[in-house]
Amino acid sequence: MQGAQQLMKVFVTRRIPQEGMKILKQAGICNLSVWDSDEPVPRAELLKSVSGAHGLVCLLSDRIDAEVLDAAGPNLKVISTMSVGFDHLSMDEIKKRGIRIGYTPDVLTDATAELTVALLLATARRLPEGVAEVKSGGWSTWKPLWLCGYGLSGSTVGVIGLGRIGLAIARRLMPFGVKRLLYTGRGTKPGAKEVEGEFVPLDTLVSESDFIVVSCALTPDTQSMCNKAFFSKMKNTAVFINTSRGAVVNQEDLHEALSTGQIAAAGLDVTTPEPLPTDHPLLTLNNCVVLPHIGSATYSTRGIMAELTANNLLAGLTGAAMPTELKI
């Protein structure tokens, strides 16, 4: 084995599943330094620990910008993020320095799609409210309209962003008896045929859908896309679900739409900021279900994500082809 001085320095910004750590340790080419906590690495600690690193393993919560790259220095060859999203990475700065990026698409598609369907059903059928009523003694007798919600059978569902995850969500929703599946995005998708998806302009999707699912990437075009004008075009019986990125939604406008009855309900797995402060106005509303960004949170998915993150990193260190490289 190589001497310690010849090993390449790798900083891991968080405790990640053992599946990934095992691969990095057994590779025999890394001098591993880990922020050994379930909590994010403090900024000052990140800047200090990344110094001289050849490789960096990071998470969505780590802002990797020019300051971090400068602190790392010229050795840095590869950044491997344990996420499918990459809006926490300063792409221009990374590209300028010729650093390769690994990420984890595909492996979390099924878990995120399942969670999206669960959130949609929980929101539309008012499950959290129902659980709260049972616990608080609000459940007295059967009442014809008590806790009535909205069903998928015969409905129109609109998916904003029919990519890998959007299509996986649509596949799971169709057996519920959805009548029409509308989608919008940069262009038509070949996979849409499978779910009989109709490609429509955003305005048509927003005004005709009973359920709107946001599953697009965060870009300058999609930032705050779901705003006052967007919600004002929705049906007042419509349910809004976001499992993409929090910044796609203007939360003040969403709060207004929910509290005035402009729309029926909303379910969010992503917010701005994360975590959402416990005194945030959205958390006072019965018709808003907020989850703590658990889209990919199954044991098997997180383990596979960690493995892929480790393998991407090792490929970047050795100049090999990455299993999933983000081309920039």
Side-chain angles (χ1 to χ4, degrees):
M1 192 174 144
Q2 294 167 297
Q5 73 278 9
Q6 294 169 289
L7 296 178
M8 287 185 268
K9 179 179 173 182
V10 171
F11 179 55
V12 183
T13 66
R14 189 90 64 90
R15 200 182 285 154
I16 64 170
Q18 279 309 304
E19 292 93 330
M21 290 308 294
K22 194 171 157 190
I23 289 168
L24 293 176
K25 284 171 183 166
Q26 289 178 347
I29 63 168
C30 305
N31 176 14
L32 283 174
S33 166
V34 182
W35 176 251
D36 194 19
S37 168
D38 286 330
E39 297 303 319
V41 59
R43 183 75 176 176
E45 191 65 37
L46 171 60
L47 294 170
K48 188 173 76 179
S49 299
V50 80
S51 175
H54 297 85
L56 175 65
V57 171
C58 67
L59 279 70
L60 270 177
S61 49
D62 306 312
R63 197 173 81 254
I64 309 300
D65 53 16
E67 186 183 25
V68 174
L69 300 173
D70 287 344
N75 285 345
L76 192 62
K77 295 180 176 189
V78 57
I79 295 166
S80 186
T81 181
M82 194 174 129
S83 64
V84 65
F86 46 85
D87 43 279
H88 57 303
L89 307 177
S90 295
M91 304 301 274
D92 291 346
E93 292 292 337
I94 293 167
K95 187 176 184 179
K96 204 193 301 181
R97 291 164 168 84
I99 298 164
R100 294 170 71 190
I101 302 173
Y103 71 136
T104 61
D106 299 324
V107 295
L108 48 68
T109 297
D110 287 342
T112 305
E114 285 173 11
L115 189 279
T116 304
V117 173
L119 178 58
L120 187 153
L121 292 169
T123 305
R125 296 297 303 273
R126 302 171 66 178
L127 301 193
E129 284 180 78
V131 171
E133 292 287 4
V134 172
K135 289 182 176 178
S136 67
W139 181 16
S140 54
T141 182
W142 188 88
K143 307 182 190 82
L145 292 175
W146 187 57
L147 285 177
C148 281
Y150 299 92
L152 280 159
S153 183
S155 71
T156 297
V157 172
V159 179
I160 298 176
L162 200 73
R164 284 181 296 262
I165 294 172
L167 185 58
I169 293 164
R171 279 194 201 109
R172 285 161 172 77
L173 289 177
M174 297 314 283
F176 282 93
V178 170
K179 192 174 172 188
R180 290 176 76 206
L181 191 288
L182 311 179
Y183 76 99
T184 191
R186 284 195 294 265
T188 57
K189 298 277 186 177
K193 291 192 185 76
E194 189 191 329
V195 290
E196 296 178 13
E198 302 171 44
F199 182 70
V200 295
L202 180 63
D203 279 2
T204 304
L205 182 146
V206 174
S207 61
E208 295 185 12
S209 297
D210 299 301
F211 298 90
I212 294 176
V213 178
V214 184
S215 185
C216 58
L218 177 62
T219 66
D221 289 338
T222 61
Q223 177 107 21
S224 294
M225 170 181 67
C226 305
N227 54 19
K228 192 180 177 83
F230 178 103
F231 296 122
S232 69
K233 292 173 189 144
M234 283 175 65
K235 298 178 180 180
N236 60 12
T237 52
V239 174
F240 175 83
I241 303 293
N242 182 22
T243 54
S244 62
R245 285 287 173 269
V248 170
V249 177
N250 179 313
Q251 289 174 175
E252 288 70 31
D253 292 350
L254 175 61
H255 179 269
E256 188 184 341
L258 288 166
S259 52
T260 59
Q262 175 70 56
I263 68 173
L268 311 172
D269 186 41
V270 286
T271 59
T272 309
E274 291 183 359
L276 198 64
T278 53
D279 60 354
H280 194 281
L282 282 174
L283 300 181
T284 65
L285 302 174
N286 281 340
N287 58 345
C288 188
V289 179
V290 181
L291 299 178
H293 201 152
I294 53 171
S296 65
T298 67
Y299 290 111
S300 63
T301 299
R302 291 285 169 84
I304 294 165
M305 284 173 75
E307 285 177 8
L308 184 53
T309 302
N311 286 323
N312 279 334
L313 183 96
L314 293 174
L317 289 177
T318 58
M322 282 186 194
T324 48
E325 182 166 4
L326 185 59
K327 298 294 185 187
I328 52 174

